[in-house]
Amino acid sequence: MKNEALFTAVPHLPNLMETADHIDIKTVSGDVSLREFIAGMISYSPGWVKFLYGVRWFFVRLLGMKQEGLPQELTMQPEDVSFVTGEPAAFFSVKMAKEDKYWFAGITESHLTAHLGVIVEPGQPNRFHVLTIVHYNRWTGPVYFNVIRPFHHLVVGQMMKAGVRQSLRLQET
């Protein structure tokens, strides 16, 4: 794996990745801090993503699961990003984080456990490695994830673009 030292420097990450059913790593560069990047990613909520959550509501019902409403639109500022384990981060909770190094949040549902993580590689500009790590909890996990996988790649890619655009929003205010 390229830049393996970055990934092994995060506590528990090698074990989390070793037991995963799916791992996705995407990288983007930008002149923003880790806090700014995460705030921009989490705040990304265009209408088409809200529409996908509406479609998800019907789909999970077909699999015998439930969805607790639609995620609320959240505008997060960099100072609102928590690095405290257990604190909320949108519909995730912070699992492990270190200022200016990495940030991982996760959610456990009946069908799967998902982690969204960001590791920053300092530079001019910074490089952000965004990880999605999925563990299936029951048979509905792979069914669900394989159906949403194409949308997952699209959504995460757009979230990353929103994260690096955070510096433009900060300059406008």
Side-chain angles (χ1 to χ4, degrees):
M1 180 184 302
K2 190 176 178 184
N3 301 320
E4 190 170 323
L6 281 174
F7 299 97
T8 57
V10 177
H12 311 294
L13 184 56
N15 289 344
L16 192 62
M17 291 175 75
E18 182 178 308
T19 61
D21 293 301
H22 174 83
I23 299 171
D24 179 54
I25 303 172
K26 298 178 183 333
T27 302
V28 68
S29 296
D31 286 319
V32 293
S33 70
L34 179 57
R35 281 182 174 274
E36 291 166 340
F37 182 75
I38 294 166
M41 279 185 57
I42 299 286
S43 297
Y44 183 72
S45 183
W48 66 270
V49 170
K50 293 174 192 168
F51 172 77
L52 288 177
Y53 270 105
V55 172
R56 179 190 189 270
W57 186 85
F58 288 105
F59 177 57
V60 297
R61 293 239 185 262
L62 289 174
L63 293 177
M65 303 179 302
K66 59 183 174 180
Q67 174 176 300
E68 301 295 329
L70 299 178
Q72 298 297 312
E73 189 167 329
L74 174 67
T75 302
M76 183 179 279
Q77 299 300 317
E79 60 272 13
D80 298 330
V81 176
S82 178
F83 280 74
V84 178
T85 300
E87 286 198 354
F91 52 86
F92 293 103
S93 65
V94 178
K95 299 298 180 186
M96 53 186 171
K98 187 172 183 179
E99 191 79 42
D100 299 321
K101 301 284 184 197
Y102 58 85
W103 182 89
F104 281 79
I107 186 169
T108 297
E109 296 182 301
S110 64
H111 57 299
L112 57 77
T113 297
H115 289 86
L116 174 67
V118 182
I119 302 172
V120 63
E121 184 177 352
Q124 297 296 329
N126 289 327
R127 287 173 49 93
F128 298 95
H129 304 277
V130 177
L131 292 80
T132 303
I133 303 169
V134 178
H135 293 87
Y136 303 138
N137 295 334
R138 46 187 277 225
W139 70 269
T140 51
V143 172
Y144 169 82
F145 193 72
N146 284 311
V147 168
I148 68 143
R149 188 184 312 222
F151 305 104
H152 162 77
H153 290 294
L154 180 63
V155 171
V156 171
Q158 294 303 308
M159 289 173 67
M160 291 170 61
K161 288 179 183 177
V164 295
R165 284 193 307 260
Q166 176 68 14
S167 63
L168 299 175
R169 286 192 295 275
L170 292 174
Q171 291 171 7
E172 292 172 0
T173 58

